[in-house]
């Protein structure tokens, strides 16, 4: 029998030359004078423990701003913060920093110092794709280079990112580029299995182990033997089962429910979550030791709004996939409006929108109707633009402010969840994932709103 071995293809890389930089706390935050040096290509600043620079000021958002290096320098970007971003006393959405720039995030103030005597090289792949992930921006090509390097190892990987950013696609592409590519790629969704069955589904069970166990069953870890197990929504794994998973990862052996002894297994584990798992650790909702065992390498998939320059490429790919026999064109104005859209559902939402536009289009020509391809801004964006007509019917000015606000929020929540549940055929887990919240939180909201 001839042994087959996966041939790893060398990747082509380009290099972005930059410099290290230092951020010093010069105001508020309770840590005045603290300085820290950074070499990352992209640094997240915020109150979240997941941020590259964590600030304790209560006016700072969890993910307040990012600093990214590109060919022009270091660019700071407001990540939809609640209290805004200022550079040298000028409020900005994004701006390039210079040596000595003063940055204000809510009540916290930082000074940016460029360390020109400490050059840094950031590698990016020249490819515009990684498996099914697409992107030609520097941000995505830097991510692709990181994933390519990760694929060459066999360590446990944690992928974080908002719903719709492509975490499963990234995991599968890592598997396909690894030495385990000839083995199975098994997906186990921790949020889609009931708590009473998740143990046997993950670790397997012996015949008669419990009522209904009519025969032996191999769990997901066993079915992934020789390949990769993708644990989606790992943040939903019950606390009671987390020690068992931790032991399995550390000892590389598992015991099925009802079995007497442990058996070794060989599978790479990749986990993913749309939650900030370290925050769950701080709240006691996820074991710290399991977090660090999963996050041997951690990769953050960026939201679509962080790289809108990739939207034309993605739209073109979706049109070719969804309507391969007919060449559809998109006007410059429509594409520009799509690039200005927030896309809270990220690439998944963009693809769904393109599919909807194709389905509803009444034109038989090559030009896709601009009216259908232009997404409507969300209500909060309409209010910012001064279009109060869309909200006037929702606001009862005859009530006290507090009561009017509460009624507006309730109406928004009801409409939001009615639409989301309808889109997912009543599947609460799927709706919660798209909304980016815990299933238990979704159940609480639905109960409060008396929705089924």
């Amino acid at each position: 029998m001839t042994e087959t071995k996966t041939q790893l293809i060398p990747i082509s890389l380009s290099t972005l030359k930059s410099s290290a930089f230092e951020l010093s706390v010069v105001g508020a935050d309770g840590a005045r004078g603290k300085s820290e040096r950074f070499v990352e290509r992209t640094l997240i600043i915020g109150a979240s423990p997941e941020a590259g620079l964590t600030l304790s000021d209560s006016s700072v958002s969890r993910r307040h701003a990012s600093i990214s290096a590109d060919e022009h320098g270091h660019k700071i970007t407001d990540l939809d913060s609640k209290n805004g971003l200022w550079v040298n006393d000028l409020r900005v959405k994004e701006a390039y920093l210079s040596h000595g720039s003063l940055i204000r995030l809510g009540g916290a103030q930082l000074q940016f110092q460029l360390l020109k005597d400490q050059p840094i090289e950031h590698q990016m792949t020249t490819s515009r794709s990684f498996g099914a992930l697409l992107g030609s921006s520097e941000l995505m090509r830097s991510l692709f280079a990181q994933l390519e390097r990760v694929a060459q190892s066999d360590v446990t990987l944690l992928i974080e990112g908002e719903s719709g950013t492509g975490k499963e696609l990234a995991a599968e592409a890592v598997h396909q580029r690894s030495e385990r590519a000839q083995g199975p790629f098994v997906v186990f969704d921790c949020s889609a299995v009931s708590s009473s069955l998740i143990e046997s589904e993950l670790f397997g069970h012996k015949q008669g182990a419990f009522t209904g166990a009519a025969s032996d069953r191999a769990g997901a870890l066993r079915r992934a033997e020789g390949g990769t197990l993708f644990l989606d929504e790992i943040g939903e794994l019950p606390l009671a089962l987390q020690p068992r998973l931790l032991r399995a990862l550390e000892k590389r052996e598992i015991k099925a429910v009802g079995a007497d002894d442990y058996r070794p297994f060989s599978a790479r584990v990749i986990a993913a979550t749309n939650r900030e798992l370290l925050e769950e650790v701080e709240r006691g909702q996820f074991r710290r030791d399991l977090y660090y065992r999963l996050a041997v390498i951690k990769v953050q998939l960026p939201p679509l709004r962080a790289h809108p320059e990739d939207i034309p490429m993605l739209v073109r790919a979706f049109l070719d996939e969804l309507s391969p026999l007919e060449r559809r064109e998109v006007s410059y104005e429509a594409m520009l409006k799509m690039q200005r859209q927030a896309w809270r559902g990220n690439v998944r939402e963009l693809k769904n929108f393109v599919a909807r536009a194709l389905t509803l289009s009444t034109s038989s020509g090559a030009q896709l109707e601009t009216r259908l391809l232009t997404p409507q801004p969300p209500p909060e964006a309409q209010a910012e633009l001064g279009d109060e007509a869309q909200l006037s019917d929702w606001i009862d000015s005859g009530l006290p402010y507090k009561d009017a606000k509460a009624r507006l929020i309730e109406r928004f929540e009801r409409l939001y969840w009615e639409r989301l549940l309808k889109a997912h055929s009543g599947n609460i887990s799927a709706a919660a994932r798209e909304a980016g919240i815990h299933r238990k939180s979704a159940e609480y909201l639905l109960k409060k709103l008396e929705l089924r």
Side-chain angles (χ1 to χ4, degrees):
M1 181 177 178
T2 304
E3 181 182 356
T4 60
K5 186 176 181 180
T6 302
Q7 180 67 38
L8 300 179
I9 302 173
I11 59 175
S12 177
L13 298 173
S14 62
T15 301
L16 171 67
K17 294 184 178 181
S18 182
S19 299
F21 62 92
E22 187 177 81
L23 291 174
S24 303
V25 178
V26 295
D29 191 54
R32 188 180 182 88
K34 180 180 71 174
S35 297
E36 197 167 342
R37 173 180 172 271
F38 299 96
V39 298
E40 295 93 329
R41 184 184 178 277
T42 299
L43 171 72
I44 303 297
I45 305 172
S48 169
E50 294 277 6
L53 176 60
T54 302
L55 300 174
S56 58
D57 191 285
S58 60
S59 62
V60 175
S61 299
R62 291 188 310 130
R63 290 168 55 87
H64 199 112
S66 67
I67 297 178
S68 299
D70 62 25
E71 69 273 18
H72 303 297
H74 289 84
K75 181 172 67 175
I76 189 166
T77 303
D78 188 341
L79 301 178
D80 298 326
S81 65
K82 60 185 178 183
N83 289 316
L85 172 68
W86 281 259
V87 175
N88 296 329
D89 293 326
L90 179 66
R91 183 163 185 169
V92 300
K93 176 62 179 175
E94 60 182 29
Y96 282 96
L97 300 170
S98 57
H99 183 72
S101 291
L102 291 176
I103 305 166
R104 182 156 59 90
L105 310 92
Q109 188 164 307
L110 308 171
Q111 185 171 46
F112 175 84
Q113 304 274 354
L114 190 61
L115 306 177
K116 293 184 178 180
D117 59 338
Q118 299 182 30
I120 301 293
E121 291 187 349
H122 304 285
Q123 289 187 328
M124 298 178 291
T125 179
T126 56
S127 174
R128 301 182 348 141
S129 65
F130 181 77
L133 296 176
L134 301 176
S136 59
S137 64
E138 289 184 354
L139 182 60
M140 292 303 290
R141 289 189 292 116
S142 178
L143 171 68
F144 296 163
Q146 183 182 11
L147 290 172
E148 289 279 11
R149 291 192 297 271
V150 170
Q152 311 309 310
S153 71
D154 203 39
V155 299
T156 307
L157 169 65
L158 175 63
I159 303 175
E160 293 185 331
E162 295 179 9
S163 178
T165 51
K167 296 184 290 295
E168 183 174 340
L169 297 179
E172 188 168 8
V174 166
H175 166 73
Q176 291 170 347
R177 283 165 163 73
S178 74
E179 292 186 339
R180 293 181 176 271
Q182 302 302 319
F185 179 73
V186 176
V187 178
F188 184 84
D189 189 340
C190 298
S191 68
V193 182
S194 68
S195 57
S196 61
L197 294 175
I198 194 168
E199 183 178 16
S200 65
E201 290 294 319
L202 185 57
F203 299 102
H205 64 251
K206 302 294 289 183
Q207 181 179 359
F210 52 85
T211 303
S215 61
D216 290 357
R217 175 174 171 79
L221 279 162
R222 179 67 59 199
R223 298 198 305 275
E225 183 72 22
T228 300
L229 172 64
F230 176 55
L231 295 173
D232 198 10
E233 302 300 343
I234 187 65
E236 308 291 335
L237 186 68
L239 271 170
L241 281 182
Q242 292 179 21
R244 285 205 63 183
L245 178 60
L246 175 63
R247 188 191 189 284
L249 295 177
E250 290 182 338
K251 302 294 186 181
R252 309 302 295 178
E253 60 182 19
I254 54 176
K255 182 169 72 171
V257 177
D260 296 324
D261 48 26
Y262 287 89
R263 292 180 57 190
F265 78 95
S266 175
R268 183 184 192 174
V269 174
I270 300 177
T273 178
N274 62 7
R275 297 154 67 182
E276 295 191 12
L277 212 52
L278 197 52
E279 285 195 2
E280 299 298 309
V281 171
E282 298 298 328
R283 288 198 290 263
Q285 300 300 311
F286 199 85
R287 289 182 62 104
R288 187 179 298 273
D289 46 7
L290 178 57
Y291 169 80
Y292 286 112
R293 189 62 188 81
L294 292 169
V296 176
I297 296 179
K298 187 168 70 171
V299 172
Q300 184 80 34
L301 297 193
L304 185 55
R305 58 186 175 277
H307 53 112
E309 61 269 38
D310 287 324
I311 287 179
M313 177 184 180
L314 290 166
V315 170
R316 185 72 266 158
F318 295 152
L319 288 173
D320 291 343
E321 176 187 345
L322 297 168
S323 184
L325 301 180
E326 186 174 4
R327 179 71 180 180
R328 296 274 190 164
E329 299 298 334
V330 184
S331 70
Y332 172 79
E333 292 78 11
M335 196 69 78
L336 191 61
K337 289 177 181 178
M338 280 193 289
Q339 288 181 288
R340 291 172 176 168
Q341 177 76 2
W343 298 116
R344 299 298 178 186
N346 295 293
V347 180
R348 181 188 295 123
E349 182 186 359
L350 176 63
K351 184 174 182 178
N352 289 344
F353 181 84
V354 172
R356 187 164 64 250
L358 282 171
T359 302
L360 299 178
S361 177
T362 58
S363 172
S364 59
Q367 179 73 40
L368 198 68
E369 290 187 26
T370 303
R371 175 181 60 84
L372 294 173
L373 201 57
T374 305
Q376 294 296 315
E380 63 268 27
Q382 292 177 351
E384 289 175 4
L385 293 172
D387 187 3
E388 298 179 1
Q390 300 292 329
L391 294 173
S392 60
D393 292 339
W394 284 50
I395 299 174
D396 189 348
S397 57
L399 292 174
Y401 167 76
K402 184 178 179 180
D403 295 338
K405 179 182 176 182
R407 181 171 294 185
L408 177 63
I409 292 173
E410 182 180 352
R411 293 189 66 181
F412 157 74
E413 288 180 333
R414 179 176 296 278
L415 180 60
Y416 179 89
W417 285 102
E418 281 178 347
R419 291 181 177 179
L420 206 56
L421 286 172
K422 183 177 180 181
H424 292 282
S425 302
N427 187 316
I428 297 176
S429 295
R433 284 197 299 273
E434 183 165 332
I437 69 172
H438 194 282
R439 179 191 164 93
K440 293 295 184 183
S441 298
E443 289 175 343
Y444 169 79
L445 282 170
L446 294 176
K447 183 178 181 180
K448 182 186 75 171
L449 297 169
E450 298 183 348
L451 291 176
R452 297 289 182 269

PDB file of all heavy atoms in Angstrom, residues 387-405:
ATOM      1  N   ASP A 387     -33.063  62.348   9.220  1.00  0.00           N
ATOM      2  CA  ASP A 387     -34.304  61.899   8.608  1.00  0.00           C
ATOM      3  C   ASP A 387     -35.248  61.432   9.717  1.00  0.00           C
ATOM      4  O   ASP A 387     -35.371  60.244   9.997  1.00  0.00           O
ATOM      5  CB  ASP A 387     -34.016  60.759   7.622  1.00  0.00           C
ATOM      6  CG  ASP A 387     -35.265  60.377   6.836  1.00  0.00           C
ATOM      7  OD1 ASP A 387     -36.311  61.023   7.009  1.00  0.00           O
ATOM      8  OD2 ASP A 387     -35.167  59.435   6.036  1.00  0.00           O
ATOM      9  N   GLU A 388     -35.932  62.377  10.355  1.00  0.00           N
ATOM     10  CA  GLU A 388     -36.775  62.043  11.502  1.00  0.00           C
ATOM     11  C   GLU A 388     -38.114  61.445  11.096  1.00  0.00           C
ATOM     12  O   GLU A 388     -38.807  60.865  11.925  1.00  0.00           O
ATOM     13  CB  GLU A 388     -37.013  63.298  12.343  1.00  0.00           C
ATOM     14  CG  GLU A 388     -35.725  63.881  12.924  1.00  0.00           C
ATOM     15  CD  GLU A 388     -35.991  65.125  13.733  1.00  0.00           C
ATOM     16  OE1 GLU A 388     -37.170  65.517  13.845  1.00  0.00           O
ATOM     17  OE2 GLU A 388     -35.033  65.713  14.246  1.00  0.00           O
ATOM     18  N   ALA A 389     -38.450  61.559   9.818  1.00  0.00           N
ATOM     19  CA  ALA A 389     -39.758  61.057   9.376  1.00  0.00           C
ATOM     20  C   ALA A 389     -39.896  59.561   9.614  1.00  0.00           C
ATOM     21  O   ALA A 389     -40.975  59.057   9.912  1.00  0.00           O
ATOM     22  CB  ALA A 389     -39.962  61.375   7.892  1.00  0.00           C
ATOM     23  N   GLN A 390     -38.763  58.822   9.512  1.00  0.00           N
ATOM     24  CA  GLN A 390     -38.814  57.376   9.672  1.00  0.00           C
ATOM     25  C   GLN A 390     -39.110  56.974  11.114  1.00  0.00           C
ATOM     26  O   GLN A 390     -39.568  55.872  11.380  1.00  0.00           O
ATOM     27  CB  GLN A 390     -37.462  56.776   9.245  1.00  0.00           C
ATOM     28  CG  GLN A 390     -37.071  57.048   7.806  1.00  0.00           C
ATOM     29  CD  GLN A 390     -37.976  56.311   6.844  1.00  0.00           C
ATOM     30  OE1 GLN A 390     -38.477  55.246   7.156  1.00  0.00           O
ATOM     31  NE2 GLN A 390     -38.187  56.877   5.672  1.00  0.00           N
ATOM     32  N   LEU A 391     -38.822  57.876  12.075  1.00  0.00           N
ATOM     33  CA  LEU A 391     -38.980  57.530  13.474  1.00  0.00           C
ATOM     34  C   LEU A 391     -40.131  58.255  14.169  1.00  0.00           C
ATOM     35  O   LEU A 391     -40.474  57.928  15.300  1.00  0.00           O
ATOM     36  CB  LEU A 391     -37.670  57.850  14.232  1.00  0.00           C
ATOM     37  CG  LEU A 391     -36.449  57.020  13.842  1.00  0.00           C
ATOM     38  CD1 LEU A 391     -35.218  57.558  14.542  1.00  0.00           C
ATOM     39  CD2 LEU A 391     -36.644  55.556  14.177  1.00  0.00           C
ATOM     40  N   SER A 392     -40.717  59.240  13.515  1.00  0.00           N
ATOM     41  CA  SER A 392     -41.703  60.096  14.177  1.00  0.00           C
ATOM     42  C   SER A 392     -42.899  59.318  14.699  1.00  0.00           C
ATOM     43  O   SER A 392     -43.436  59.637  15.773  1.00  0.00           O
ATOM     44  CB  SER A 392     -42.170  61.200  13.215  1.00  0.00           C
ATOM     45  OG  SER A 392     -42.772  60.623  12.064  1.00  0.00           O
ATOM     46  N   ASP A 393     -43.316  58.281  13.975  1.00  0.00           N
ATOM     47  CA  ASP A 393     -44.479  57.505  14.406  1.00  0.00           C
ATOM     48  C   ASP A 393     -44.158  56.624  15.616  1.00  0.00           C
ATOM     49  O   ASP A 393     -45.064  56.088  16.258  1.00  0.00           O
ATOM     50  CB  ASP A 393     -44.982  56.637  13.252  1.00  0.00           C
ATOM     51  CG  ASP A 393     -45.582  57.479  12.128  1.00  0.00           C
ATOM     52  OD1 ASP A 393     -45.968  58.637  12.399  1.00  0.00           O
ATOM     53  OD2 ASP A 393     -45.639  56.970  10.996  1.00  0.00           O
ATOM     54  N   TRP A 394     -42.893  56.446  15.887  1.00  0.00           N
ATOM     55  CA  TRP A 394     -42.495  55.574  16.985  1.00  0.00           C
ATOM     56  C   TRP A 394     -42.368  56.346  18.301  1.00  0.00           C
ATOM     57  O   TRP A 394     -42.297  55.743  19.357  1.00  0.00           O
ATOM     58  CB  TRP A 394     -41.136  54.921  16.659  1.00  0.00           C
ATOM     59  CG  TRP A 394     -41.232  53.817  15.674  1.00  0.00           C
ATOM     60  CD1 TRP A 394     -41.855  53.837  14.470  1.00  0.00           C
ATOM     61  CD2 TRP A 394     -40.659  52.523  15.814  1.00  0.00           C
ATOM     62  NE1 TRP A 394     -41.710  52.638  13.835  1.00  0.00           N
ATOM     63  CE2 TRP A 394     -40.973  51.812  14.635  1.00  0.00           C
ATOM     64  CE3 TRP A 394     -39.912  51.895  16.798  1.00  0.00           C
ATOM     65  CZ2 TRP A 394     -40.559  50.498  14.433  1.00  0.00           C
ATOM     66  CZ3 TRP A 394     -39.490  50.584  16.593  1.00  0.00           C
ATOM     67  CH2 TRP A 394     -39.822  49.898  15.418  1.00  0.00           C
ATOM     68  N   ILE A 395     -42.279  57.653  18.238  1.00  0.00           N
ATOM     69  CA  ILE A 395     -42.000  58.449  19.427  1.00  0.00           C
ATOM     70  C   ILE A 395     -43.270  59.141  19.904  1.00  0.00           C
ATOM     71  O   ILE A 395     -43.907  59.883  19.159  1.00  0.00           O
ATOM     72  CB  ILE A 395     -40.903  59.496  19.140  1.00  0.00           C
ATOM     73  CG1 ILE A 395     -39.601  58.793  18.728  1.00  0.00           C
ATOM     74  CG2 ILE A 395     -40.671  60.388  20.348  1.00  0.00           C
ATOM     75  CD1 ILE A 395     -38.524  59.736  18.289  1.00  0.00           C
ATOM     76  N   ASP A 396     -43.646  58.897  21.160  1.00  0.00           N
ATOM     77  CA  ASP A 396     -44.824  59.517  21.771  1.00  0.00           C
ATOM     78  C   ASP A 396     -44.344  60.671  22.647  1.00  0.00           C
ATOM     79  O   ASP A 396     -43.935  60.488  23.798  1.00  0.00           O
ATOM     80  CB  ASP A 396     -45.584  58.478  22.599  1.00  0.00           C
ATOM     81  CG  ASP A 396     -46.934  59.013  23.073  1.00  0.00           C
ATOM     82  OD1 ASP A 396     -47.170  60.240  22.958  1.00  0.00           O
ATOM     83  OD2 ASP A 396     -47.733  58.200  23.557  1.00  0.00           O
ATOM     84  N   SER A 397     -44.406  61.897  22.113  1.00  0.00           N
ATOM     85  CA  SER A 397     -43.915  63.057  22.849  1.00  0.00           C
ATOM     86  C   SER A 397     -44.844  63.455  23.987  1.00  0.00           C
ATOM     87  O   SER A 397     -44.512  64.335  24.784  1.00  0.00           O
ATOM     88  CB  SER A 397     -43.720  64.241  21.894  1.00  0.00           C
ATOM     89  OG  SER A 397     -44.929  64.533  21.211  1.00  0.00           O
ATOM     90  N   GLY A 398     -46.013  62.815  24.073  1.00  0.00           N
ATOM     91  CA  GLY A 398     -46.932  63.126  25.154  1.00  0.00           C
ATOM     92  C   GLY A 398     -46.596  62.415  26.449  1.00  0.00           C
ATOM     93  O   GLY A 398     -47.211  62.666  27.486  1.00  0.00           O
ATOM     94  N   LEU A 399     -45.596  61.507  26.374  1.00  0.00           N
ATOM     95  CA  LEU A 399     -45.165  60.787  27.567  1.00  0.00           C
ATOM     96  C   LEU A 399     -43.936  61.451  28.180  1.00  0.00           C
ATOM     97  O   LEU A 399     -43.186  62.142  27.481  1.00  0.00           O
ATOM     98  CB  LEU A 399     -44.813  59.335  27.209  1.00  0.00           C
ATOM     99  CG  LEU A 399     -45.958  58.421  26.779  1.00  0.00           C
ATOM    100  CD1 LEU A 399     -45.405  57.075  26.311  1.00  0.00           C
ATOM    101  CD2 LEU A 399     -46.940  58.211  27.924  1.00  0.00           C
ATOM    102  N   PRO A 400     -43.673  61.209  29.464  1.00  0.00           N
ATOM    103  CA  PRO A 400     -42.404  61.654  30.048  1.00  0.00           C
ATOM    104  C   PRO A 400     -41.245  61.013  29.291  1.00  0.00           C
ATOM    105  O   PRO A 400     -41.377  59.912  28.722  1.00  0.00           O
ATOM    106  CB  PRO A 400     -42.485  61.148  31.498  1.00  0.00           C
ATOM    107  CG  PRO A 400     -43.936  60.988  31.763  1.00  0.00           C
ATOM    108  CD  PRO A 400     -44.553  60.584  30.460  1.00  0.00           C
ATOM    109  N   TYR A 401     -40.088  61.687  29.312  1.00  0.00           N
ATOM    110  CA  TYR A 401     -38.931  61.231  28.529  1.00  0.00           C
ATOM    111  C   TYR A 401     -38.602  59.766  28.806  1.00  0.00           C
ATOM    112  O   TYR A 401     -38.410  58.975  27.881  1.00  0.00           O
ATOM    113  CB  TYR A 401     -37.711  62.109  28.844  1.00  0.00           C
ATOM    114  CG  TYR A 401     -36.403  61.554  28.338  1.00  0.00           C
ATOM    115  CD1 TYR A 401     -36.067  61.632  26.990  1.00  0.00           C
ATOM    116  CD2 TYR A 401     -35.502  60.932  29.200  1.00  0.00           C
ATOM    117  CE1 TYR A 401     -34.870  61.114  26.518  1.00  0.00           C
ATOM    118  CE2 TYR A 401     -34.319  60.408  28.747  1.00  0.00           C
ATOM    119  CZ  TYR A 401     -33.998  60.498  27.406  1.00  0.00           C
ATOM    120  OH  TYR A 401     -32.816  59.988  26.943  1.00  0.00           O
ATOM    121  N   LYS A 402     -38.522  59.394  30.094  1.00  0.00           N
ATOM    122  CA  LYS A 402     -38.133  58.039  30.448  1.00  0.00           C
ATOM    123  C   LYS A 402     -39.110  57.011  29.887  1.00  0.00           C
ATOM    124  O   LYS A 402     -38.705  55.971  29.344  1.00  0.00           O
ATOM    125  CB  LYS A 402     -38.052  57.924  31.974  1.00  0.00           C
ATOM    126  CG  LYS A 402     -37.555  56.574  32.466  1.00  0.00           C
ATOM    127  CD  LYS A 402     -37.453  56.568  33.986  1.00  0.00           C
ATOM    128  CE  LYS A 402     -36.977  55.216  34.497  1.00  0.00           C
ATOM    129  NZ  LYS A 402     -36.878  55.203  35.980  1.00  0.00           N
ATOM    130  N   ASP A 403     -40.408  57.289  29.978  1.00  0.00           N
ATOM    131  CA  ASP A 403     -41.418  56.354  29.485  1.00  0.00           C
ATOM    132  C   ASP A 403     -41.407  56.277  27.962  1.00  0.00           C
ATOM    133  O   ASP A 403     -41.559  55.194  27.384  1.00  0.00           O
ATOM    134  CB  ASP A 403     -42.802  56.765  29.981  1.00  0.00           C
ATOM    135  CG  ASP A 403     -42.921  56.659  31.497  1.00  0.00           C
ATOM    136  OD1 ASP A 403     -42.124  55.909  32.091  1.00  0.00           O
ATOM    137  OD2 ASP A 403     -43.806  57.321  32.062  1.00  0.00           O
ATOM    138  N   ALA A 404     -41.233  57.427  27.293  1.00  0.00           N
ATOM    139  CA  ALA A 404     -41.189  57.438  25.831  1.00  0.00           C
ATOM    140  C   ALA A 404     -39.996  56.643  25.326  1.00  0.00           C
ATOM    141  O   ALA A 404     -40.083  55.899  24.342  1.00  0.00           O
ATOM    142  CB  ALA A 404     -41.122  58.879  25.323  1.00  0.00           C
ATOM    143  N   LYS A 405     -38.863  56.797  25.998  1.00  0.00           N
ATOM    144  CA  LYS A 405     -37.657  56.060  25.615  1.00  0.00           C
ATOM    145  C   LYS A 405     -37.855  54.561  25.796  1.00  0.00           C
ATOM    146  O   LYS A 405     -37.496  53.762  24.922  1.00  0.00           O
ATOM    147  CB  LYS A 405     -36.472  56.549  26.441  1.00  0.00           C
ATOM    148  CG  LYS A 405     -35.163  55.837  26.131  1.00  0.00           C
ATOM    149  CD  LYS A 405     -34.047  56.356  27.029  1.00  0.00           C
ATOM    150  CE  LYS A 405     -32.762  55.583  26.779  1.00  0.00           C
ATOM    151  NZ  LYS A 405     -31.659  56.047  27.676  1.00  0.00           N
TER     152      LYS A 405
END
